[in-house]
């Protein structure tokens, strides 16, 4: 039987305590549905999109201009909520990559490197302000192209995008104070490859610190979400950013590979899967290229018995269900201390039944579309493995739109550490719940993964927070909150989650040589 069939056949829309603890529910199916979503429905509140000017074709952005690819090849970008084609995107080949690198090199040697930091900073401030002015339009585009809710793109992504440019604009003329007693020099030409879950935010994380510290950039957005980067390029033109300081080349993995392999690139910054990250380590070995990697994660959210349970449940919701679970630092494993397990599960089950899944442009929507068919298939495949390995699935009864790619908010109980759903990144709105008895067991379980990006701790006791945080092998640990971001705070992983930090003063380090 196919993965999809199994995943769609078995979910339990449970109401009885028993079923949540692993036994099959005994109440009839009709009584097992929790239709909060329908009873408490909201009138549609669609964000306007009639003013959005999508181009039918997007070209490459090289040397400050939009240029056709040498390859003459274009691919479609679709709206994952409707499966409608939005535009055609240029596919850059090795010749286009070479053009972009040459343009970045010229801009580095002739303009950007010799320019005083305070002048570079002015461009960054200008870009930050333009992003603020265009924030609503960019948020709508982000939602249309990527499937994330307007609530998230408008209230989280775009404010953080401009905040990152503002923050690093401030460092541009203060580099000599960033690393006391040492001199920071730019590295040169930076190749930057980003994924599809936070397209503009990942672009900002990469571009802002690189530009502030005097490097020039070639950005490669993800294949399914290139459009907003090209609208950002228009803002670079409006800001009169000198030609070639930022170049944007679109395309699939092969374009990224050509960028990584180009001989005249000094630095590669990559955010994406651990699998591709490992390829990049091999590709740059023995070259002068510096590398930073932000890879996958399998974060544990740990709830102790003394935690404020209602707040913790909201933290879990923010940690895994918003942005469809398309978050590398998503709290995708929930570790609950045994005494509060029934209460947490009951509240979680009731809460996911209230989450609204549907049109991402509707301001009331909590869970938007899965970014691509490929990603949806991956979620189905892993959920299927969870069912086959014996875990129990609890799913929201949300009705999913007929067109587009969707997955309802779900969680697994009866998960053991060896299950694939406890080890591998699902990258969808699916949580794996496990229990623990002692703090030591929680730490051991939390660390029992190849990843080490993030974690969460929920407890009333400050001393417990300090103990646990000190022993978790994770780059970021949130205490009594989850998924909070700030440009001043460094972000990055341990183990197979990568190396290097983005954000804060630490975020300058990958782009400078210190002497
Ligand atoms: P991915 O397949 O690794 O892709 C990431 C980027 O690399 C895309 O632009 C992709 O292009 C490109 N790429 C693919 N193959 C390449 C190659 N051989 N050489 C150079 N570039 C190549 O990852 P994804 O599936 O898009 O993104 C999801 C992953 O990103 C998850 O594992 C998630 O945890 C991770 N992530 C990590 C962070 C973090 O900060 N740690 C943040 C967000 C996401 P195409 O799109 O054209 O394939
Ligand atoms: Mg798209």
């Amino acid at each position: 039987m196919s993965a999809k069939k199994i995943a769609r056949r078995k979910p339990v829309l449970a109401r009885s305590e028993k079923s949540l603890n692993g036994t099959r529910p005994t109440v009839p199916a009709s009584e097992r549905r929790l239709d909060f979503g329908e009873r408490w429905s909201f009138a549609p509140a669609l964000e306007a999109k009639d003013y959005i000017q999508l181009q039918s074709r997007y070209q490459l952005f090289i040397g400050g201009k939009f240029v056709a690819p040498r390859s003459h090849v274009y691919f479609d970008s679709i709206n994952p909520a409707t499966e409608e084609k939005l535009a055609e995107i240029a596919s850059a080949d090795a010749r286009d990559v070479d053009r972009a690198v040459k343009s970045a090199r010229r801009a580095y040697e002739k303009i950007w490197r010799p320019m005083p930091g305070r002048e570079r900073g002015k461009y960054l401030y200008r870009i930050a302000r333009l992003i603020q002015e265009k924030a609503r339009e960019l948020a709508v585009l982000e939602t249309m192209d990527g499937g994330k809710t307007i609530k998230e793109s408008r209230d989280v992504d775009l404010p953080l995008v401009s905040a990152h440019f503002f923050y690093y604009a401030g460092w541009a003329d203060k580099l000599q104070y960033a690393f006391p007693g040492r001199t920071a020099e730019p590295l040169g030409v930076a190749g930057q490859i980003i994924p599809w879950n936070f397209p503009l935010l990942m672009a900002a994380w990469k571009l802002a610190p690189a530009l502030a510290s005097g490097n020039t950039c070639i950005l490669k957005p993800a294949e399914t979400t290139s459009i907003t980067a090209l609208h950002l390029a228009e803002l670079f033109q409006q800001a009169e950013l000198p030609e070639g300081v930022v170049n944007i080349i679109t395309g699939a993995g092969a374009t990224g590979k050509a960028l990584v392999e180009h001989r005249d690139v000094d630095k590669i910054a990559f955010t994406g899967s651990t699998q591709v990250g490992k390829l990049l380590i091999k590709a740059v070995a023995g070259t002068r290229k510096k590398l930073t990697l932000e890879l996958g994660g399998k974060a544990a959210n740990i709830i102790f018995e003394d935690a404020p349970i209602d707040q913790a449940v909201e933290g879990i919701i923010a940690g895994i269900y918003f942005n469809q679970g398309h978050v590398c630092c998503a709290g995708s494993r929930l570790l609950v201390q045994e005494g509060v397990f029934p209460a947490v599960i009951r509240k979680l089950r009731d809460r996911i039944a209230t989450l609204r899944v549907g049109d991402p442009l509707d301001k009331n929507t909590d869970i938007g579309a899965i970014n691509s068919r490929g990603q949806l298939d991956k979620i189905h495949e892993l959920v299927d493995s969870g069912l086959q390995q014996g875990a129990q699935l609890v799913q929201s009864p949300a009705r999913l739109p007929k067109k587009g790619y969707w997955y309802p908010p779900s969680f697994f109980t009866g998960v053991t550490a060896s299950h694939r759903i406890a080890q591998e990144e699902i990258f969808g709105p699916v949580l794996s719940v496990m229990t623990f008895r002692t703090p030591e067991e929680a730490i051991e379980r939390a660390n029992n993964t190849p990843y080490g990006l993030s974690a969460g701790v929920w407890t009333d006791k400050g001393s417990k927070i300090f103990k646990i945080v000190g022993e978790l092998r994770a780059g970021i640990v949130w205490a009594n909150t989850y998924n909070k971001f700030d440009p001043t705070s460094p972000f990055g992983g341990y183990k197979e989650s990568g190396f290097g930090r983005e954000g804060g003063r630490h975020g300058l380090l990958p782009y400078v040589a210190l002497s």
Side-chain angles (χ1 to χ4, degrees):
M1 189 179 289
S2 78
K4 277 182 210 159
K5 274 190 190 148
I6 293 178
R8 281 168 190 160
R9 188 166 56 89
K10 289 228 187 147
V12 171
L13 304 170
R15 185 145 224 173
S16 71
E17 263 329 296
K18 263 186 167 176
S19 69
L20 297 169
N21 290 325
T23 344
R24 286 190 182 284
T26 49
V27 283
S30 57
E31 287 174 32
R32 271 183 265 138
R33 300 188 78 87
L34 291 167
D35 282 337
F36 292 145
E38 280 166 35
R39 273 193 277 137
W40 298 345
S41 60
F42 285 66
L46 293 179
E47 178 72 33
K49 60 169 184 180
D50 46 350
Y51 66 98
I52 298 291
Q53 293 189 338
L54 273 168
Q55 295 167 28
S56 55
R57 265 194 170 179
Y58 285 85
Q59 308 289 8
L60 307 173
F61 183 66
I62 297 178
K65 295 178 192 62
F66 291 96
V67 297
R70 293 264 154 87
S71 65
H72 303 293
V73 176
Y74 292 82
F75 59 92
D76 292 347
S77 197
I78 64 155
N79 180 339
T82 59
E83 296 179 56
E84 253 169 358
K85 173 173 161 179
L86 293 173
E88 287 178 3
I89 313 283
S91 174
D93 67 10
R95 290 168 297 175
D96 298 307
V97 170
D98 188 52
R99 268 198 296 175
V101 174
K102 286 203 170 97
S103 141
R105 175 64 59 193
R106 215 174 306 121
Y108 176 69
E109 302 293 351
K110 298 217 153 49
I111 305 167
W112 205 241
R113 181 194 166 106
M115 188 183 282
R118 64 175 185 280
E119 295 302 318
R120 287 201 303 266
K122 287 181 193 167
Y123 285 105
L124 293 182
Y125 280 121
R126 206 180 282 171
I127 292 165
R129 284 194 297 270
L130 284 167
I131 293 168
Q132 278 187 322
E133 279 171 29
K134 292 270 181 191
R136 188 56 73 95
E137 186 179 334
L138 289 170
V140 173
L141 278 165
E142 197 80 307
T143 287
M144 289 170 71
D145 197 23
K148 66 166 55 194
T149 61
I150 189 71
K151 208 155 65 172
E152 171 138 328
S153 55
R154 181 197 58 192
D155 299 345
V156 180
D157 294 46
L158 264 297
L160 280 172
V161 172
S162 52
H164 266 83
F165 277 99
F166 275 120
Y167 174 74
Y168 281 108
W171 275 119
D173 62 347
K174 302 175 196 71
L175 282 178
Q176 74 266 37
Y177 308 112
F179 309 103
R182 307 186 73 180
T183 311
E185 292 288 335
L187 296 176
V189 173
Q192 305 177 313
I193 301 173
I194 56 174
W196 42 261
N197 54 350
F198 291 89
L200 275 175
L201 186 56
M202 290 298 112
W205 280 22
K206 297 269 178 293
L207 295 173
L211 296 176
S213 49
N215 303 272
T216 57
C217 302
I218 301 143
L219 179 77
K220 207 298 271 176
E223 203 180 335
T224 55
T225 53
S226 304
I227 291 179
T228 46
L230 295 159
H231 282 255
L232 188 62
E234 287 178 0
L235 300 190
F236 295 152
Q237 284 182 325
Q238 284 175 32
E240 295 176 6
L241 185 70
E243 289 173 7
V245 170
V246 175
N247 305 272
I248 298 178
I249 49 165
T250 45
T255 307
K257 187 164 182 286
L259 179 58
V260 171
E261 287 172 358
H262 196 288
R263 293 170 55 121
D264 202 27
V265 171
D266 302 293
K267 157 84 195 172
I268 294 290
F270 173 81
T271 297
S273 59
T274 297
Q275 186 191 357
V276 174
K278 286 179 180 172
L279 293 177
L280 299 201
I281 292 177
K282 286 189 194 142
V284 306
T287 72
R288 70 165 193 276
K289 288 171 198 154
K290 296 217 167 166
L291 179 67
T292 36
L293 299 175
E294 301 270 17
L295 309 175
K298 191 77 192 171
N301 220 342
I302 306 170
I303 302 195
F304 285 96
E305 282 166 1
D306 58 10
I309 301 295
D310 288 336
Q311 283 95 317
V313 168
E314 283 314 302
I316 299 163
I317 298 289
I320 181 73
Y321 297 117
F322 292 159
N323 201 24
Q324 299 72 248
H326 294 343
V327 187
C328 49
C329 50
S332 55
R333 289 181 301 151
L334 178 64
L335 303 184
V336 188
Q337 199 160 17
E338 272 185 6
V340 286
F341 178 74
V344 169
I345 289 296
R346 195 170 47 245
K347 283 173 193 273
L348 189 59
R349 176 200 61 182
D350 292 351
R351 183 69 177 94
I352 64 167
T354 69
L355 294 174
R356 286 175 293 269
V357 186
D359 189 347
L361 276 176
D362 191 318
K363 291 163 212 161
N364 291 322
T365 298
D366 298 306
I367 299 192
I370 301 299
N371 182 263
S372 65
R373 180 173 293 283
Q375 185 55 34
L376 182 60
D377 289 344
K378 231 164 103 180
I379 296 171
H380 278 296
E381 199 256 321
L382 270 159
V383 168
D384 175 38
S385 82
L387 290 167
Q388 282 180 345
Q389 291 187 306
Q392 289 87 46
L393 181 64
V394 178
Q395 246 174 16
S396 144
R399 286 214 190 107
L400 304 182
K402 296 229 158 36
K403 279 211 127 186
Y405 315 132
W406 308 94
Y407 203 86
S410 314
F411 64 85
F412 274 110
T413 56
V415 180
T416 70
S418 63
H419 286 167
R420 281 182 65 200
I421 52 170
Q423 290 290 331
E424 296 177 33
E425 231 184 349
I426 299 182
F427 230 59
V430 184
L431 177 66
S432 297
V433 188
M434 289 169 274
T435 55
F436 67 91
R437 286 185 182 157
T438 61
E440 289 68 31
E441 194 186 348
I443 292 163
E444 196 194 310
R445 289 203 154 199
N447 287 337
N448 182 13
T449 124
Y451 296 113
L453 190 56
S454 56
V457 185
W458 298 83
T459 167
D460 198 29
K461 302 270 178 303
S463 56
K464 214 186 267 173
I465 291 174
F466 284 112
K467 175 183 163 60
I468 303 285
V469 168
E471 293 184 41
L472 288 177
R473 295 283 293 158
I476 306 103
V477 185
W478 286 285
N480 292 330
T481 186
Y482 206 86
N483 266 357
K484 292 280 182 276
F485 295 94
D486 188 287
T488 63
S489 157
F491 182 96
Y494 283 96
K495 301 194 284 187
E496 292 200 11
S497 292
F499 47 81
R501 294 292 178 266
E502 292 184 306
R505 188 174 58 90
H506 306 71
L508 293 166
L509 268 174
Y511 293 102
V512 294
L514 293 179
S515 54

